[in-house]
């Protein structure tokens, strides 16, 4: 059994594979066959269980939400995904659930963008500067020739850090405000 941290999840799956897998799942899948999530209130917050099953694989994402964590400098959300073989049901891997969620959510956005955006869209505006914002920048770059990213965030330090990371990846990046939308080809809203 493998244990995959956030970097390993991104490397093992990647945006192209995730986008194509989601395209197939949305085209061929039966939404009515999706097992229901369960919500368990705990003394410190909430536990969510999100099961899934197919002939190829069985899995469950376990997510905890702890409202007191952000005040103490810890993440609100912690998550793991446990993957089992569909035939033998032997455990195959434990994945960082936060990284998997960021990859999956942004890949869904990229899939929609692939079909709805102008193919030569180069200017991206992202509202938010957290995990989802970072993932969405990468996902949009997987489907469009993005040349400039504008980050609109409440926290200047976090927004600056994301802009710096985008620039380090070879793309022009600036900070902006709501008015920046007027110059965008694509807009991603990545806030709660």
């Amino acid at each position: 059994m493998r244990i995959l941290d956030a970097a390993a999840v991104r490397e093992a799956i990647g945006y192209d594979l995730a986008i194509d897998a989601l395209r197939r799942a949305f085209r061929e899948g039966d939404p009515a066959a999706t097992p229901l999530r369960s919500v368990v209130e705990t003394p410190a917050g909430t536990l969510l269980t999100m099961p899934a099953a197919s002939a190829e694989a069985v899995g469950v994402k376990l997510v905890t939400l702890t409202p007191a964590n952000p005040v103490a400098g810890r993440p609100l959300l912690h998550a793991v995904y446990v993957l089992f073989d569909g035939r033998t049901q032997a455990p195959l891997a434990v994945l960082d659930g936060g990284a998997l969620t960021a990859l999956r959510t942004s890949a869904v956005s990229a899939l929609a963008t692939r079909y709805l955006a102008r193919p030569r869209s180069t200017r991206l505006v992202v509202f938010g500067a957290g995990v989802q914002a970072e993932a969405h920048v990468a996902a949009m770059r997987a489907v469009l020739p993005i040349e400039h990213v504008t980050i609109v965030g409440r926290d200047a330090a976090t927004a600056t850090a994301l802009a710096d990371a985008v620039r380090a990846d070879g793309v022009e990046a600036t900070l902006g405000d709501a008015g920046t939308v007027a110059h965008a080809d694509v807009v991603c809203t990545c806030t709660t």
Side-chain angles (χ1 to χ4, degrees), residues 82-163:
V82 183
L83 179 67
F84 301 89
D85 181 271
R87 289 174 294 285
T88 67
Q89 298 198 106
L92 298 174
V94 176
L95 293 79
D96 179 299
L100 186 61
T101 298
L103 178 67
R104 186 253 183 226
T105 302
S106 61
V108 169
S109 295
L111 177 60
T113 300
R114 179 188 282 171
Y115 290 106
L116 298 173
R118 292 186 311 264
R120 300 207 188 275
S121 297
T122 60
R123 298 187 68 79
L124 171 65
V125 173
V126 178
F127 284 82
V131 172
Q132 280 296 332
E134 181 180 1
H136 274 72
V137 170
M140 293 304 112
R141 292 187 63 211
V143 296
L144 293 172
I146 298 297
E147 296 173 359
H148 185 273
V149 177
T150 302
I151 308 298
V152 181
R154 289 181 303 193
D155 181 59
T158 306
T160 298
L162 179 54

Side-chain angles (χ1 to χ4, degrees), residues 2 4-15 17 95 103:
R2 298 187 312 168
L4 284 76
D5 64 9
V9 167
R10 288 187 298 270
E11 186 177 320
I13 300 172
Y15 285 100
L17 181 62
L95 293 79
L103 178 67

